[in-house]
Amino acid sequence: MYYERTIEATLRSISQTFPVLIVTGPRQVGKTTLLNRMAEKERQIVSLDHPTIRSFAKKDPELFLQRYHPPVLIDEVQYAPELFDYIKLYVDREKHPGDFWLTGSQTFHMMKRVTESLAGRAGVAKMSGLSNSEINGTHLPPFQTDIPALLDRLKKVEPMTISQIFSRIFKGSMPRLYENEAVDREQYYESYLETYISRDIKDLSQVADEMSFLNFLSVVAARTATNVNYEALASETGISAPTAKQWLSVLVSSGVIFLIQPYSNNALKRVIKAPRMYFADTGLCAHLTRWSSPDTLEKGAMDGQFFETWVISEIYKSYLNFGKQPPLFFYRDSNRKEIDLLIYQDGMVTPIEIKKGSAPKNATKNFSVLKPIEQEPDKDAIFSGTAHLKTKIGTGAVICMPTDIIPIDKKNWYVPAWII
């Protein structure tokens, strides 16, 4: 069974605008499958995963492009960076939209060459695993807390119980697990880790010890939905803090985790600067942290971390699927006051708290820390050029497990997690 991908419209738009379409993302999220389905009959398809073809592309890139001439889909293009200069020459000469479709799961290798050779010539889209709305067939737009829009969402989706959500969290978002129910989840993720480490990680000079890296990956999984602390990561894995920083950057650039940056505004004091990290695929995270079933995960010590990771990853994906950089931040100050998520766009900050319960009390208590950013600037601020710091505060939301969208007060609402 194939699941339609929301990002398809974005990819078609890029292909109609740029000579080169580049689709990045972690391994096995469906990049090649989607582009194969989108490809017209005359488009050639070639994968550099094949050693002989990869060698051909590296040794004679010019002849390679004569053999596999545009329109062409080149899969795992990062294995032959020699191609990029010749692709540049071709698109500068022909100037034809959609000539090259390129995919790559090793973003850290590929994007440097893209920046050097294809700046202004390539449109880049980040692809993730299946979103909840893709699995449900609803293909919802980027998440916002606009209440009329949320009420419209409510009409399109089927309610989910907390057990159903944790079953989805435990299973993860990899298309293969949904397209073929016979695939064994545990074997799949073991194979995934083997492929990721043997193909992607061993090529990186900063990762010399594969077993230490796997241990590091497991420690990061146990810390999903927490602030990045390189000293703590280093201490738990027996490596140096600089190495922990390097290895975490590898996980970010290969799409295994993503970082949410802290929100900063000069009107807010004592805000911490460390980002917060989340696993992109909750199934892989659950596998690495050794949870054996959805039920034990739901009742376990990490239930809140996993629920928050799933909610934020779903919101994150909802923006990526429309070709947008997710405008997501969080708040934490030196007084340990936190807001799980802030959506900041169009001069407005929207606070969001994430709780596993059905109607958690006092969930919006920390939203008041944002009040200084909404105050009218005084005359001195206007003349000193700081008036632009005034920001509106949007409709707040507590994403949890109510049966409906329910008002908490005039500014804040309970929002069901299953409508994301």
Side-chain angles (χ1 to χ4, degrees), residues 54-72:
R54 184 192 316 167
S55 176
F56 176 28
K58 291 176 70 67
K59 289 180 178 178
D60 198 336
E62 187 172 17
L63 185 60
F64 178 90
L65 291 181
Q66 290 178 24
R67 168 61 184 86
Y68 299 105
H69 55 80
V72 62

Side-chain angles (χ1 to χ4, degrees), residues 172-191:
S173 61
M174 293 300 185
R176 176 74 173 156
L177 295 173
Y178 291 88
E179 292 167 357
N180 186 348
E181 294 291 337
V183 174
D184 181 272
R185 173 192 169 278
E186 188 170 347
Q187 290 177 354
Y188 174 85
Y189 280 118
E190 279 299 314
S191 174

Side-chain angles (χ1 to χ4, degrees), residues 94-112:
E94 301 297 331
K95 297 181 173 61
H96 189 268
D99 269 345
F100 292 91
W101 291 359
L102 312 177
T103 78
S105 53
Q106 292 183 13
T107 313
F108 32 80
H109 284 324
M110 186 168 67
M111 292 313 297
K112 183 175 183 293

Side-chain angles (χ1 to χ4, degrees), residues 148-162:
L150 291 179
L151 290 171
D152 185 56
R153 280 176 180 249
L154 198 63
K155 300 172 186 175
K156 299 176 181 177
V157 299
E158 290 291 327
M160 297 174 70
T161 65
I162 191 67

